[in-house]
Amino acid sequence: MRSKSNGLTKGTGVLRVRRRLAGTIAAVSALGMTAMLGGCGSTGSSETTLKLVAADYGDSPANSSKKYWAALVDAYEAKHPDVKVQVSVYSWNDVDAKVKEMVDSGNAPDMAQIGAYADYAAAGKLYPMSDTLSIGTQADFVPQLADAGNWSHTPYAMPFAASTRVLFYNKSLFQQAGITPPTTWDELASDAEALKAKGVKYPFALPLGPEEAQAETMQWLLSGGSGYTDDIGTYTIDSALNGETFTWLKDDLVGKGLTGPVAPGRLNRAAAFAAFADGQVGMLNGHPTLIRQAEAKGVKFGMVPMPGRTGRARAAMGVTDWMLAFRQNGHARQIGSFLDFVYEQKNVLDFSRKYGLLPVTTTASEAMSQSDAKSDASLHAFLEQLPTAEQYPVNKTSWAALSAAVKKDIGQAVSPDGSPAGVLTRLQAAATAADSTAQSQG
């Protein structure tokens, strides 16, 4: 009896357990079905939508960055149906201001691909790189570019695109004028005089307009032996060397009518590049995207290092554009998944080749440097300069404000009634004040 009783009791217990399991499975199935239905409904609760604001690297609607991002997002979403990425693309004239407006209004995007980052990092609005990217992606960035993305010894900004600058010259116009590429400032001015005598519209194009005046300015400051800052990061905009540089530009180039019919302060980079591609410019400082513009119009051109006062410039200028990940919406995992995809070698190379820019990852840079393809070979000279090129002081929270001030005011330094020393002094005061405010707030 005891054995039968125990057997019955054991059997009953098994039945009860089975019933409980069945009930649990049914409940879980119901919850799963609810989740699936919720995902199919209008709420989209099973999906994460990431918002990215990006800059436009194209020079026409035909090659707008909108097309690049659309194709990249489609490829990513096909592999990750639980994540949607919405991309808004703005011109370089507007993108930084647009992101600032969004952040200030409490509607930060999940990601922003722009030109400055330190103020957002200092305000605690960004994810450190280690919170989003995989270790492999972090380790693949070109070291000197990654280092420039550090704020307070922590990597926040991810390099997205890079370039260096060289002096482009029109071979046909130089041949007609019987001149050779310059290696010093005196030779540059002499070549410009010869080009002007042949009726060249812009013997030397000097774009100090608001689009990218901070870049043209830095190239000339480096060429003159100084820069925006000294070796320890203190602003030296009003240094004696910088004053001499802009006095020479005002008196020896602009004042002698060697920079064309448009005042440098009103000449934007895009317009200068377009004029070069149209065969109207003898010389100008340019980055890799000018190669394709000029080739598309059949312009025969050469590229040489930017001349210094009496020889080669102290350093070439390097520019890095940044990808930022904002904390506000809390999508670190999804952001990391998408950006790991963005930084895969194939995608980095696709973007670099499409827009004539330098890869920001070591694997992609090595692939490009070893490639004999014509489009890659034309970038080798820029790649060679990258390891020693000097970057903007982007790790200073005051840089964004100073860059805006340079874009607004530097053209006045070379205007007929302008004062180079006066403009540089005002910019130095603005930079010092902004730096002091940032340090006190930090």
Side-chain angles (χ1 to χ4, degrees):
M1 289 293 295
R2 184 176 296 173
S3 63
K4 289 182 180 178
S5 174
N6 285 345
L8 180 60
T9 303
K10 182 177 179 181
T12 303
V14 170
L15 288 172
R16 288 173 179 164
V17 170
R18 287 175 177 168
R19 288 176 185 142
R20 284 199 298 270
L21 286 172
T24 301
I25 291 170
V28 171
S29 298
L31 286 172
M33 183 62 71
T34 301
M36 289 175 64
L37 291 172
C40 295
S42 61
T43 62
S45 60
S46 66
E47 295 178 352
T48 298
T49 298
L50 300 177
K51 294 183 179 181
L52 165 64
V53 175
D56 196 346
Y57 288 82
D59 55 16
S60 69
N63 69 346
S64 169
S65 294
K66 292 179 181 179
K67 294 185 176 181
Y68 170 80
W69 285 112
L72 193 69
V73 167
D74 284 347
Y76 174 78
E77 291 180 349
K79 296 180 179 180
H80 303 83
D82 58 330
V83 179
K84 300 299 179 186
V85 184
Q86 296 178 354
V87 184
S88 300
V89 176
Y90 297 91
S91 76
W92 273 110
N93 291 334
D94 304 321
V95 67
D96 287 83
K98 183 63 178 179
V99 172
K100 184 178 187 303
E101 175 187 321
M102 295 171 71
V103 173
D104 290 348
S105 65
N107 296 303
D110 296 284
M111 297 164 286
Q113 186 269 297
I114 54 178
Y117 69 87
D119 48 349
Y120 298 126
K125 295 184 181 298
L126 302 180
Y127 282 116
M129 191 188 299
S130 59
D131 283 5
T132 55
L133 296 182
S134 67
I135 293 174
T137 301
Q138 294 177 59
D140 196 26
F141 286 126
V142 175
Q144 65 270 24
L145 301 183
D147 289 346
N150 292 353
W151 184 82
S152 192
H153 310 294
T154 300
Y156 282 96
M158 294 157 266
F160 181 75
S163 66
T164 56
R165 299 292 197 269
V166 298
L167 183 72
F168 282 72
Y169 66 96
N170 184 309
K171 285 185 174 181
S172 300
L173 297 179
F174 266 58
Q175 184 176 7
Q176 293 169 16
I179 54 178
T180 57
T183 60
T184 67
W185 285 4
D186 284 346
E187 291 177 5
L188 188 150
S190 176
D191 284 351
E193 290 276 13
L195 291 164
K196 180 182 179 182
K198 289 293 184 179
V200 176
K201 187 173 182 178
Y202 295 90
F204 186 95
L206 184 65
L208 293 176
E211 181 186 3
E212 206 189 30
Q214 83 285 0
E216 185 73 15
T217 296
M218 183 171 175
Q219 184 65 75
W220 278 101
L221 298 184
L222 292 172
S223 177
S226 187
Y228 282 120
T229 64
D230 59 20
D231 292 339
I232 61 173
T234 302
Y235 282 118
T236 55
I237 301 168
D238 63 349
S239 69
L241 283 176
N242 288 344
E244 291 170 9
T245 294
F246 269 84
T247 297
W248 185 85
L249 285 173
K250 179 178 184 292
D251 295 342
D252 289 62
L253 284 187
V254 181
K256 293 181 179 179
L258 302 179
T259 55
V262 179
R266 296 201 302 271
L267 181 64
N268 279 326
R269 180 196 64 183
F273 279 18
F276 186 85
D278 286 338
Q280 299 175 339
V281 175
M283 298 173 279
L284 84 169
N285 291 317
H287 54 63
T289 59
L290 182 54
I291 293 175
R292 291 192 178 183
Q293 279 185 258
E295 288 178 341
K297 293 291 189 73
V299 172
K300 296 180 180 180
F301 62 90
M303 299 177 291
V304 294
M306 175 65 180
R309 293 175 185 273
T310 57
R312 188 166 178 170
R314 177 172 69 84
M317 186 187 72
V319 176
T320 304
D321 301 326
W322 305 100
M323 179 69 75
L324 314 182
F326 283 88
R327 287 180 175 274
Q328 180 176 314
N329 301 318
H331 295 145
R333 180 179 61 81
Q334 293 89 346
I335 290 171
S337 171
F338 177 65
L339 292 182
D340 280 340
F341 180 76
V342 168
Y343 286 111
E344 288 180 5
Q345 179 179 319
K346 175 185 180 298
N347 295 328
V348 172
L349 283 172
D350 283 349
F351 177 83
S352 300
R353 288 165 174 161
K354 183 175 181 64
Y355 295 107
L357 293 167
L358 305 183
V360 296
T361 63
T362 300
T363 53
S365 293
E366 290 175 349
M368 181 175 282
S369 65
Q370 295 168 8
S371 170
D372 294 328
K374 181 181 178 181
S375 60
D376 289 344
S378 65
L379 295 174
H380 288 176
F382 297 92
L383 276 172
E384 290 170 2
Q385 291 191 107
L386 191 58
T388 58
E390 291 197 14
Q391 304 276 329
Y392 297 129
V394 289
N395 57 353
K396 296 170 74 69
T397 56
S398 53
W399 169 243
L402 174 59
S403 177
V406 171
K407 290 178 180 181
K408 178 177 178 290
D409 294 336
I410 197 64
Q412 299 173 21
V414 296
S415 63
D417 57 350
S419 166
V423 171
L424 296 179
T425 297
R426 291 199 303 273
L427 290 172
Q428 176 70 28
T432 302
D435 221 20
S436 298
T437 300
Q439 291 174 8
S440 65
Q441 291 176 346

